[in-house]
Amino acid sequence: RCLSDWSSDVCSSDLSDFGQLTGAILLMVGALLPVVNPLGDAPIFLRMTPGCDEPTRADLAKRIAFYSFILLLGSMLLGSFVLRLFGLSIPIVQVAGGAVVYALGWKLLAAETPKPADVTPDLIHAKAIALGRAFAPLTMPLTIDAGVVSVAITVGANHAHTFKHAMIQLLASIIGAGIIALLILLTYRYAQRVGKRVGHTGMMVVVRLSAFIMLCIGVGISWNGVKALLAEIGIPS
């Protein structure tokens, strides 16, 4: 009977830990995926990699997914510590990062629309340019912008008080960041095939709309940061 009771306690403890892990993963993915929004960024990814063939974009997708995984995991685990180290706050990150997102959105919105014949430069040169953009701006701020970083820092700011909960939080962060990175990889990996089905005109419409949305998101991120900073010094916004 004692053995049976012990086994029951162990099983219930394991189920409780699994439930906590599952809940933490769902929380991270649910909070981060809407702001990462790889589907919305895919047309801009294509727009910023003109002249690249499908293998090159597949390679880029892998690199961007890897960089995104590192940025998300680092923000969740170390973001709050880094901000305290430099005396920064999330509103400051929002103001600066929002300006970067706004600048990228404006640049894409104001760019001259290329014709299909204009986006066929030398493949080797196009590949070199695209791979040089893998981290900046394709990963940051296009895929992982200031809004994503601030949400990731907020999600990871709940410090565990026991070793077991710390391990659960660490595992959940790794799995959650991995799931989002995988979705980024798949979305960017097959963006060119979807673009071919939509057509050049359709893609240009989607790119312009996405660029305008990105510009608005940048303004919104910065404004949220400004409001938070004004509230800190007692000025109503």
Side-chain angles (χ1 to χ4, degrees):
R1 180 181 177 182
C2 290
L3 182 61
S4 176
D5 291 341
W6 176 81
S7 176
S8 177
D9 291 341
V10 171
C11 289
S12 62
S13 177
D14 290 342
L15 288 175
S16 176
D17 293 343
F18 180 76
Q20 291 180 18
L21 176 63
T22 303
I25 294 171
L26 293 176
L27 172 64
M28 291 176 182
V29 175
L32 289 169
L33 187 58
V35 287
V36 174
N37 189 23
L39 285 175
D41 294 335
I44 299 180
F45 166 75
L46 292 177
R47 174 68 178 82
M48 297 183 68
T49 55
C52 294
D53 56 2
E54 193 165 347
T56 300
R57 287 197 171 104
D59 186 15
L60 271 175
K62 293 177 184 178
R63 298 187 184 202
I64 295 170
F66 174 74
Y67 294 147
S68 299
F69 173 79
I70 297 299
L71 286 173
L72 288 173
L73 188 61
S75 297
M76 286 188 283
L77 298 181
L78 302 173
S80 57
F81 170 75
V82 172
L83 291 184
R84 287 198 303 269
L85 181 65
F86 290 97
L88 302 175
S89 63
I90 290 180
I92 293 175
V93 174
Q94 290 176 322
V95 173
V100 175
V101 176
Y102 172 88
L104 178 61
W106 176 256
K107 180 179 179 181
L108 291 170
L109 189 64
E112 183 179 352
T113 303
K115 299 177 182 179
D118 294 337
V119 290
T120 56
D122 178 70
L123 181 59
I124 297 177
H125 182 61
K127 181 177 180 179
I129 294 176
L131 293 179
R133 294 176 174 176
F135 182 79
L138 291 176
T139 301
M140 192 172 189
L142 175 61
T143 307
I144 307 297
D145 58 29
V148 177
V149 171
S150 62
V151 171
I153 293 174
T154 304
V155 169
N158 298 320
H159 300 291
H161 299 289
T162 65
F163 178 77
K164 183 174 71 173
H165 289 161
M167 290 298 99
I168 291 176
Q169 184 175 351
L170 174 61
L171 185 59
S173 299
I174 294 173
I175 295 175
I179 291 173
I180 294 176
L182 177 62
L183 293 175
I184 293 171
L185 170 63
L186 294 176
T187 303
Y188 287 1
R189 171 68 178 81
Y190 297 104
Q192 186 173 359
R193 298 185 186 182
V194 176
K196 288 180 179 179
R197 291 181 178 274
V198 174
H200 175 73
T201 302
M203 284 302 299
M204 287 301 100
V205 172
V206 174
V207 165
R208 295 295 188 186
L209 180 61
S210 300
F212 179 72
I213 292 173
M214 176 177 287
L215 189 149
C216 295
I217 290 174
V219 173
I221 293 172
S222 293
W223 177 240
N224 288 334
V226 170
K227 287 195 298 182
L229 291 174
L230 291 175
E232 287 181 1
I233 59 177
I235 300 178
S237 56

